[in-house]
Amino acid sequence: MWIRSTMAYRLSFAMTAFGGVVVTGLDFVAILLMFSQVDVLGGYTLPEIAFLYGLSATSFGFADLAIGSAGRLGARVRDGTLDTLLVRPAPVLAQVAADRFALRRIGRITQGALVLGGALVALDVDWTPVKVLLVPVMLVCGGVIFSAVFVAGAAFQFVAQDASEVQAAFTYGGQTLLQYPPTVFGKELVRGVTFMFPLAFVNWVPAAYVLGRPYPLGLPEWAAFAPPLVAVACCASAGLAWRAGLRSYRSTGS
């Protein structure tokens, strides 16, 4: 329904999607401005950082398109309109994801994919079948990991009710963090996004294998192939959090 509503004004949709490409592209422009003054950043060259950027932006774009509407859950909890989703014969999470579905978010995916494509062309990497296969695996698993973070953040809003900005700190903030190499951040922060909130498995860890870079925190080489396992674990944890949050919902009491 939301897609049909969006496409009823095709020119407006095209302009909005293009605007999304331009606005999200400003993040990469900031990186280009940095490299107008330096040759490397944290030991990484521009094509390598563009590779990290493209992976994180594209993965996050898929998650934002699929489940980004979950950020509005807190408003539904506060005003009691979540009740209307509970009485419908469809999974609540699916309805939350479809609520005001914004097809214009494909602009973020497009922009990230363009940067990733340019990085793949510019990278000086000895490509092997394993490295080639690892790129789409990173995109899929990264999208799943970000989706799990969206769901976990939505579950937290059952309790906090006004925590959309907290959720954004780990979703949009996490995506921005992953645009840069781990070498520019403190070890405590890197540990946090590796073991507590395993966003590092979106691109930092597997990209280290592709680029031939040292692994963050000295992780073993097999960690580059762990994103599917991490994605499954994140989905399981987010699912448990969602079910616990949904069971705790008591409406507005009116």
Side-chain angles (χ1 to χ4, degrees):
M1 180 188 70
W2 286 107
I3 293 175
R4 291 181 64 183
S5 175
T6 299
M7 298 309 293
Y9 303 93
R10 296 179 184 274
L11 180 58
S12 175
F13 165 72
M15 293 175 64
T16 305
F18 178 74
V21 173
V22 174
V23 171
T24 56
L26 293 177
D27 287 340
F28 191 67
V29 171
I31 294 176
L32 293 176
L33 290 175
M34 292 181 193
F35 274 92
S36 68
Q37 304 298 319
V38 298
D39 295 325
V40 294
L41 182 63
Y44 283 64
T45 63
L46 177 58
E48 290 173 328
I49 291 184
F51 183 60
L52 295 178
Y53 177 98
L55 289 171
S56 65
T58 307
S59 297
F60 180 80
F62 285 126
D64 191 34
L65 178 66
I67 197 72
S69 296
R72 297 189 180 91
L73 182 66
R76 283 190 171 275
V77 172
R78 290 195 302 275
D79 60 23
T81 56
L82 183 63
D83 294 0
T84 60
L85 306 186
L86 294 172
V87 299
R88 293 173 182 168
V92 177
L93 183 57
Q95 296 183 70
V96 169
D99 186 27
R100 296 185 178 277
F101 183 82
L103 188 61
R104 66 179 183 276
R105 291 173 178 158
I106 63 172
R108 183 184 295 274
I109 300 175
T110 302
Q111 187 268 333
L114 289 174
V115 175
L116 178 59
L120 292 174
V121 172
L123 278 174
D124 183 17
V125 172
D126 182 17
W127 291 101
T128 65
V130 174
K131 290 182 178 181
V132 171
L133 182 61
L134 195 56
V135 173
V137 169
M138 281 189 279
L139 292 174
V140 173
C141 293
V144 172
I145 292 172
F146 274 124
S147 296
V149 176
F150 269 112
V151 173
F156 179 66
Q157 293 189 54
F158 280 111
V159 179
Q161 299 184 9
D162 190 15
S164 58
E165 294 304 319
V166 175
Q167 181 188 30
F170 292 95
T171 52
Y172 292 90
Q175 187 261 330
T176 302
L177 179 79
L178 297 178
Q179 293 175 2
Y180 299 92
T183 50
V184 304
F185 301 107
K187 287 187 177 181
E188 294 304 321
L189 179 60
V190 176
R191 287 193 183 97
V193 297
T194 301
F195 300 113
M196 292 183 63
F197 300 95
L199 296 177
F201 291 90
V202 172
N203 61 354
W204 281 356
V205 178
Y209 174 82
V210 175
L211 300 175
R213 290 285 183 174
Y215 286 69
L217 305 174
L219 293 173
E221 187 172 337
W222 58 262
F225 306 98
L229 297 177
V230 173
V232 171
C234 287
C235 285
S237 300
L240 292 174
W242 173 260
R243 298 177 80 174
L246 196 60
R247 284 196 300 268
S248 70
Y249 177 66
R250 294 294 180 270
S251 189
T252 59
S254 59

